[in-house]
Structure formats: C-alpha cells, structure tokens
Amino acid sequence: MKILIFNRRTIIIFIILLIVLSIGTIKIESPSDGNDLIGFPFRFYEYLGGKRTPEPLTRYIINYTNLIIDTVIIGIASILIEILARKKRKNVT
C-alpha cells in the first residue's frame, strides 16, 4: 500500500469543503432572539443570541471535540475525492 502524501490539491479541496459546508449549513437566528449555529455535520460553534436571564458570562460556545471530528471527516472526504480524481485521470490517459 502506498503512503498517501498530502499535496496542494488535497489541501485546497479540504479548505473549499470546510468553508462551503460550514457556510452552507450555517443557522443564523440571533436577529430574532435565537442562536447562531456553525458546523457540519456536528455543530462546533454556538452564539447565544437574544435576551437571557441571568445573562451568560460568554455569548459563545465552542465545542473543540466536534471541531476536530468535523475536520477529520472533511479531511477524509477530501482525500477520497483526490484518490478518485487520480484514478479517473489514470483511466482516461
């Protein structure tokens, strides 16, 4: 089995997937006294909007475990996309 080397294309695919999936699944409800949620497939950032009694110490919650899981899932997806693209290019030529 070959050792998989992360090249520039894989990193670009990773960054594009992370940005598109995070922005595409963002849930912004703070203008109507709701919460903002960011993350796909697991929510890793939450902004607590609206009036709260008692007022929270911080208005945001970051779940680092979910952030790491999201990063690993999107990293695996970008590697699989790169492998499929290499196989398709190899079959075409």
Side-chain angles (χ1 to χ4, degrees):
M1 184 173 160
K2 291 182 179 179
I3 296 175
L4 188 66
I5 298 174
F6 295 104
N7 59 11
R8 188 178 307 161
R9 188 177 305 124
T10 306
I11 294 171
I12 291 171
I13 291 170
F14 171 78
I15 292 170
I16 290 171
L17 278 176
L18 184 65
I19 292 171
V20 168
L21 289 175
S22 293
I23 291 176
T25 60
I26 196 169
K27 194 173 183 183
I28 299 176
E29 296 178 348
S30 60
S32 62
D33 288 342
N35 297 338
D36 296 343
L37 301 170
I38 300 174
F40 177 81
F42 302 106
R43 305 295 183 178
F44 58 83
Y45 178 82
E46 182 176 6
Y47 174 77
L48 305 172
K51 296 180 182 178
R52 304 208 183 255
T53 305
E55 185 69 26
L57 296 175
T58 61
R59 286 255 178 202
Y60 61 92
I61 299 169
I62 299 177
N63 187 333
Y64 293 106
T65 305
N66 286 351
L67 178 62
I68 291 170
I69 292 171
D70 282 354
T71 304
V72 168
I73 290 172
I74 293 173
I76 290 170
S78 64
I79 291 170
L80 290 175
I81 290 170
E82 177 65 27
I83 290 171
L84 290 174
R86 284 183 191 173
K87 284 185 180 182
K88 189 170 185 176
R89 243 183 285 132
K90 192 179 279 187
N91 288 339
V92 170
T93 57

